[in-house]
Amino acid sequence: MILSKYAMALVTALSVSYRLRGTSAFTHSSGVVHRSLRLFSTTEEEQSTKPSIFEFPLAGKNVDDVEPRLRFAPSPTGSLHVGGARTALYNWLVAKKGQQDFPNTAAGFVVRVEDTDLARSTKESEKSVLDDLRWLGLTWDEGPDDENSKYGPYRQSERSQIYVDLANKLLEEGKAYRCFCTLEELDEMRAQQEAEGIPPRYDGRWRDADPELVQKKLDEGAPFTVRFKVSPGSRVIIDDIVRGTVAWDAEAMVGDFIMLRSSGVPVYNFCVAVDDAKMGISTVVRAEEHLSNTLRQGLILDALGAPRPRYAHCSLILGEDKQKLSKRHGATSCNQFRLEGFLPDAMINYLALLGWNDGTDNEIFARDELIDAFDLNRVVKSPSVFDMEKLRWVNSQHIKMMKIDDLVDLVKEQLHSENILKDGISMDDPLVNEFTFATTALAKQMMETTQDAALNAKAVLGYGLPASFDELQNQEAKKMIEEGNFYPLGKKLIQLFKANELPLPDPERPVSAFLDVNGAGIEEDSQSGGGAYDYTAAYKAQMKDMAKEFKIKGKNLFHPIRLALTGEMSGQDVTKQLSLLAMACQEDSVVDREAASVVSFGERMNRLDVFLETFPEEFRAPTAKEEKIEAKSTNNKGDDTIKITTEATTVTVDSKDTYDGPPIAALEIRVGRILKVWEHEEADKLYCEEIDVGEEEPRRIASGLRPYLKSEDMEGRLCLVLCNLKERKLVGFPSHGMVLCASNSDHTEVRLVSPPVDAVLGERVTVPDFDFAEDGTPFAPNKIGKKKVFEKLAPFLVTNKYGVPEFLDRPLMTSGGVCTSPISNGSVS
């Protein structure tokens, strides 16, 4: 084996502190290892001139009482994966809390690179791991390249002198010895023990060897290892924070184990024990697969006279198939999650939950909240299952808490990664910023990762309508077309476009669809952008005209229009989609139209025209007919004259019959009374409320009603509260539930939904024609959040022209009657 950089550093260190029998005793001139290192004590004169390395920061102290010093010790042999990231996080959280509890002390988070695997360790891997830690925000107080700390260096490859000094100390004290066994002798020993049914371990043949024989071997230059001398009857017992009391019979289990290899390279467990002692590590948090290493490390620490740290061995993370998490389960490296658009705060939030909880139902934590809440005593023994769907949900909650402007740079990275932006374009270009802002605003409510915004933009810029009716795969679209409204509406759109009468985004200001009247970004898809004379208003006016012309409304109008203009049956607001398309099609657009597969509006109309011409005749007009039969008696001998009239009518379909979303009974909406309202200290749009919903204690709920209602107008009011939501913190305030409100189309007016005065406090709100008795058990809060139940129901919760809140044209009811609101033709959320 060619002498590595690590081994050469070791030789250099040894040549200074120890007498070697010439370099020929260690290497050939070719640089190939030939003889082993020789450990001799320095003279008293030499020893007095070098600083002592035999002192340990925690010597004589109780590790339970000292300031917390924790370490994350990655091996730079690959990427930082989920398990390692969780280990780093747990150590970081305890260290950060320790710095709050022990200010101006040595409390801190240490990163130590364990690069003793000479064959596999690389600088590239080290950089990758450290970059991932920085991305997660797990910044360290001491670590690699830190030249100012008294506990460094922080790479094991740079600490060789320390290991050799302490190994020599154990040799001198008779706690270790040289073993000159050859590989052949060890193999023979192992084979004999296996044949006798004895667990293989070293038999200690050099443990008490004659000193003269040892010296003779040294004089011959024979290679040797340094073995730790396990005392007879030795036991190691630890009180593991996670696993409880764990004990080992050291003599029976490990025998005299190797500390230094014949090459002079120290083994893993010796390095770890020495480093933990020398760096004053008070608590070691690591994966349970390292539990067995604690036996050897504990023996070494005891022999050195250094206190053992506290240990916490966390259970493994499993895939959904209950096998150890690995690449076959999908993304597991932190860098891959970064590339896929996950937020660092969401990642540490989710990783913290893989084996820990704070004792409540809360699952969304800000970084400072995690530091305050985290406690190793609440880490569980059982393995955790990595749930990608849950991670995406947690990420979506963090995205919802961010403003559009704060997400733009992250979405910009995704647009670049998906090749939507032109090559060579500056990421600081104002048009890049504007397009990214629009992309982010468009996807804000639906995106679970920032990558979703870019993928959504691709879908919006494309056009999925096939060339012919027969090629249409979407059965929902096919059924809608067969009802006959799509053809005439599509033809009308083409006619309007050719006559330049179809409202289109203003080429001078296409971003207006994403801005409210005050110029702020719109996050709610149901909220329209622009002012009274902008494109959005003109589009809505055109839709009203078409509704009157064709005598249809609701989904019979909007579904065909959406499919014709966007090529999709569902999606975000059509005016916003077409505005993003207009931005991509501008002459100076920053979008690579070919790479992004952009289909311009004019091309869409051409494709639509071709598509319509492939329709069978029976689908080119509304087909619903109703026959009216009128029987008229005459005076002619019993003859009856039957008059049959046939009129084309619009069939009224019950919206309940076509609804395929979650059941309304999944929501637990109860009557409440607002007892107290006060302003949130840190959020200028939030009220904090105490609301009695018939439970033992009032609920505390944060709402965004502060810009719309006065606190004195709310106190004492009856209201509706969605109760089966998980408690979550809104800017630090624990909010458990949601007050239902009605709002107009542009969300400039928001009011409480009011139950009747005779409603019973705490009673559940129902909806006619839906069974709230047998099949009406509300969903659990976890399911409500994870499955996005309310988000799926919300589009169907509206107020009618009289202000009555409805679901599928049926009112929300209490025992006292129908609920009401002052907002007509609005939405309920």
Side-chain angles (χ1 to χ4, degrees):
M1 179 180 73
I2 301 301
L3 201 62
S4 69
K5 181 179 179 182
Y6 174 87
M8 288 301 294
L10 191 57
V11 174
T12 302
L14 288 168
S15 66
V16 174
S17 302
Y18 299 96
R19 297 191 303 274
L20 300 178
R21 291 183 176 270
T23 54
S24 62
F26 186 69
T27 65
H28 284 307
S29 59
S30 63
V32 178
V33 174
H34 180 62
R35 299 291 186 190
S36 82
L37 302 178
R38 298 176 176 275
L39 301 175
F40 295 94
S41 300
T42 57
T43 64
E44 291 183 9
E45 180 182 356
E46 290 171 321
Q47 201 163 8
S48 66
T49 60
K50 54 178 292 196
S52 172
I53 57 99
F54 305 129
E55 297 177 0
F56 306 108
L58 299 184
K61 298 178 181 179
N62 185 337
V63 294
D64 292 329
D65 299 330
V66 300
E67 63 271 16
R69 283 179 57 80
L70 292 96
R71 49 78 165 176
F72 176 57
S75 297
T77 56
S79 303
L80 180 64
H81 289 263
V82 166
R86 183 189 66 172
T87 298
L89 172 63
Y90 283 7
N91 280 282
W92 184 84
L93 289 171
V94 176
K96 292 298 115 177
K97 184 65 178 298
Q99 288 176 328
Q100 294 178 359
D101 297 339
F102 296 84
N104 304 315
T105 66
F109 176 57
V110 177
V111 170
R112 184 176 75 217
V113 178
E114 297 185 342
D115 55 354
T116 54
D117 187 340
L118 307 179
R120 298 173 60 215
S121 296
T122 67
K123 283 293 183 184
E124 292 76 16
S125 290
E126 178 186 312
K127 182 180 184 303
S128 172
V129 170
L130 297 181
D131 285 346
D132 285 342
L133 288 174
R134 290 188 186 97
W135 174 70
L136 287 169
L138 304 182
T139 52
W140 49 91
D141 303 292
E142 303 167 31
D145 301 322
D146 185 349
E147 299 177 357
N148 300 319
S149 173
K150 61 183 179 180
Y151 298 118
Y154 296 94
R155 293 184 183 88
Q156 288 183 340
S157 60
E158 299 170 359
R159 298 173 62 81
S160 52
Q161 185 66 64
I162 298 172
Y163 306 135
V164 174
D165 283 349
L166 289 173
N168 197 56
K169 177 178 184 289
L170 294 179
L171 280 170
E172 291 174 341
E173 294 174 351
K175 297 174 181 177
Y177 61 91
R178 298 174 180 84
C179 170
F180 294 91
C181 286
T182 64
L183 288 175
E184 292 75 18
E185 289 174 321
L186 293 173
D187 288 341
E188 183 181 343
M189 184 192 308
R190 184 180 299 106
Q192 182 177 347
Q193 290 171 339
E194 289 176 348
E196 296 174 0
I198 301 173
R201 66 183 185 126
Y202 180 66
D203 63 8
R205 63 183 62 178
W206 282 94
R207 177 187 178 102
D208 299 309
D210 187 331
E212 292 185 2
L213 177 59
V214 172
Q215 188 60 52
K216 180 183 176 183
K217 285 287 188 181
L218 290 173
D219 292 341
E220 294 172 354
F224 64 87
T225 59
V226 176
R227 287 185 179 271
F228 183 86
K229 186 181 287 186
V230 178
S231 301
S234 292
R235 288 177 62 80
V236 171
I237 303 173
I238 64 169
D239 185 15
D240 191 278
I241 300 171
V242 176
R243 319 204 80 76
T245 301
V246 183
W248 296 271
D249 182 336
E251 185 182 17
M253 292 188 67
V254 296
D256 293 348
F257 55 89
I258 293 173
M259 290 172 22
L260 265 70
R261 300 180 181 91
S262 59
S263 63
V265 176
V267 300
Y268 169 80
N269 282 308
F270 182 63
C271 294
V272 171
V274 168
D275 290 344
D276 285 344
K278 292 295 297 174
M279 294 179 181
I281 301 302
S282 65
T283 307
V284 171
V285 182
R286 57 190 179 187
E288 67 174 333
E289 56 198 14
H290 289 285
L291 184 61
S292 60
N293 292 327
T294 311
L295 166 57
R296 293 174 174 82
Q297 293 166 20
L299 291 169
I300 292 167
L301 288 166
D302 293 348
L304 290 172
R308 296 182 201 163
R310 301 167 71 217
Y311 291 99
H313 288 89
C314 304
S315 295
L316 297 176
I317 300 175
L318 308 179
E320 294 187 26
D321 59 358
K322 304 301 187 291
Q323 300 300 309
K324 184 178 178 182
L325 193 67
S326 64
K327 290 181 179 179
R328 63 190 173 85
H329 294 102
T332 60
S333 72
C334 289
N335 187 54
Q336 188 61 37
F337 288 114
R338 180 185 68 80
L339 294 174
E340 291 182 5
F342 288 90
L343 305 177
D345 278 3
M347 283 298 300
I348 69 165
N349 184 163
Y350 180 67
L351 290 174
L353 300 176
L354 290 177
W356 169 86
N357 67 77
D358 70 343
T360 72
D361 289 334
N362 190 27
E363 292 184 304
I364 303 301
F365 294 88
R367 192 173 293 255
D368 57 343
E369 292 170 344
L370 274 178
I371 293 172
D372 290 339
F374 188 78
D375 185 347
L376 284 173
N377 291 302
R378 291 201 60 84
V379 175
V380 299
K381 291 182 184 179
S382 55
S384 301
V385 175
F386 190 88
D387 183 343
M388 181 60 77
E389 186 177 348
K390 178 68 172 291
L391 171 60
R392 292 181 69 89
W393 177 78
V394 170
N395 203 65
S396 73
Q397 300 308 300
H398 280 267
I399 285 176
K400 283 180 171 62
M401 291 188 287
M402 296 176 69
K403 295 180 179 179
I404 295 174
D405 289 335
D406 296 332
L407 288 165
V408 164
D409 284 344
L410 298 173
V411 173
K412 198 182 296 183
E413 292 178 7
Q414 296 296 333
L415 291 173
H416 177 73
S417 178
E418 293 295 329
N419 299 315
I420 294 175
L421 301 177
K422 291 178 178 176
D423 285 341
I425 197 79
S426 170
M427 292 297 102
D428 295 325
D429 188 307
L431 291 179
V432 171
N433 291 330
E434 188 175 77
F435 181 80
T436 309
F437 178 90
T439 297
T440 307
L442 181 63
K444 178 71 160 57
Q445 287 303 303
M446 56 76 66
M447 60 199 267
E448 294 181 322
T449 70
T450 56
Q451 187 182 62
D452 289 342
L455 297 178
N456 181 69
K458 266 190 172 180
V460 167
L461 299 179
Y463 189 63
L465 210 60
S468 70
F469 176 77
D470 291 338
E471 296 176 45
L472 186 63
Q473 299 297 314
N474 188 315
Q475 294 304 309
E476 182 187 4
K478 216 162 196 175
K479 182 179 178 181
M480 182 264 292
I481 289 172
E482 290 172 355
E483 291 173 359
N485 289 315
F486 184 84
Y487 183 88
L489 289 171
K491 283 295 187 181
K492 181 65 176 181
L493 289 173
I494 295 169
Q495 174 193 334
L496 291 170
F497 175 71
K498 290 181 176 179
N500 291 321
E501 295 175 359
L502 183 64
L504 293 174
D506 181 356
E508 298 298 321
R509 199 167 174 267
V511 76
S512 66
F514 306 98
L515 303 172
D516 62 20
V517 292
N518 299 315
I522 294 173
E523 297 189 6
E524 298 287 344
D525 189 57
S526 58
Q527 185 177 353
S528 300
Y533 302 102
D534 279 320
Y535 159 60
T536 304
Y539 176 87
K540 289 182 177 181
Q542 181 63 62
M543 292 304 103
K544 287 183 179 179
D545 290 344
M546 292 179 70
K548 290 179 181 178
E549 179 179 346
F550 291 93
K551 295 182 174 57
I552 53 176
K553 60 181 180 178
K555 69 171 187 172
N556 292 325
L557 172 68
F558 295 120
H559 284 191
I561 295 291
R562 175 181 289 278
L563 180 62
L565 296 178
T566 70
E568 302 292 338
M569 284 291 291
S570 61
Q572 296 95 6
D573 179 83
V574 172
T575 61
K576 295 174 183 174
Q577 291 194 48
L578 297 184
S579 294
L580 190 73
L581 176 66
M583 297 172 76
C585 294
Q586 288 176 320
E587 188 175 342
D588 57 351
S589 172
V590 296
V591 174
D592 186 330
R593 293 177 59 179
E594 182 176 354
S597 302
V598 176
V599 180
S600 69
F601 195 82
E603 178 60 24
R604 293 178 184 215
M605 293 297 98
N606 290 336
R607 291 190 189 183
L608 175 62
D609 204 6
V610 172
F611 179 65
L612 292 173
E613 292 309 310
T614 66
F615 281 22
E617 284 297 328
E618 62 266 30
F619 302 147
R620 297 191 177 200
T623 56
K625 300 284 183 179
E626 182 181 273
E627 288 189 345
K628 292 184 177 179
I629 301 177
E630 178 184 334
K632 184 183 290 185
S633 295
T634 68
N635 293 325
N636 299 330
K637 300 180 179 179
D639 289 339
D640 289 332
T641 301
I642 307 297
K643 181 181 179 182
I644 301 177
T645 61
T646 303
E647 298 179 1
T649 64
T650 300
V651 175
T652 302
V653 179
D654 188 340
S655 54
K656 182 174 182 288
D657 296 336
T658 59
Y659 175 73
D660 61 356
I664 185 62
L667 302 182
E668 185 179 8
I669 303 174
R670 296 196 175 275
V671 176
R673 185 180 297 279
I674 303 173
L675 305 177
K676 182 181 178 182
V677 181
W678 67 98
E679 296 178 351
H680 195 293
E681 293 181 356
E682 299 178 21
D684 57 7
K685 292 185 178 180
L686 291 184
Y687 274 139
C688 301
E689 300 133 14
E690 280 190 2
I691 303 178
D692 183 358
V693 292
E695 298 172 336
E696 291 185 6
E697 295 290 335
R699 291 209 179 197
R700 305 187 87 193
I701 297 175
S703 72
L705 292 173
R706 193 164 158 188
Y708 306 101
L709 298 173
K710 295 179 180 179
S711 58
E712 56 266 29
D713 293 336
M714 296 173 60
E715 290 184 349
R717 286 276 304 273
L718 288 178
C719 63
L720 298 187
V721 178
L722 177 56
C723 291
N724 55 333
L725 296 178
K726 296 201 71 169
E727 181 176 316
R728 55 180 292 227
K729 290 186 178 180
L730 291 176
V731 198
F733 181 81
S735 179
H736 193 189
M738 182 173 72
V739 179
L740 293 188
C741 298
S743 61
N744 60 1
S745 60
D746 59 4
H747 289 258
T748 56
E749 189 177 1
V750 179
R751 295 291 183 269
L752 293 173
V753 172
S754 300
V757 293
D758 296 331
V760 178
L761 197 67
E763 74 167 297
R764 191 173 176 198
V765 173
T766 61
V767 178
D769 298 333
F770 288 90
D771 193 344
F772 279 72
E774 295 183 7
D775 302 322
T777 303
F779 284 5
N782 270 344
K783 189 172 182 180
I784 289 286
K786 194 172 181 180
K787 301 295 184 182
K788 298 187 176 181
V789 173
F790 184 74
E791 288 88 339
K792 293 175 181 177
L793 286 164
F796 303 96
L797 287 167
V798 298
T799 60
N800 65 18
K801 62 182 179 179
Y802 304 109
V804 174
E806 295 181 336
F807 176 75
L808 301 182
D809 303 318
R810 293 159 172 82
L812 303 190
M813 298 282 296
T814 71
S815 61
V818 175
C819 299
T820 60
S821 84
I823 306 290
S824 60
N825 297 320
S827 58
V828 176
S829 60

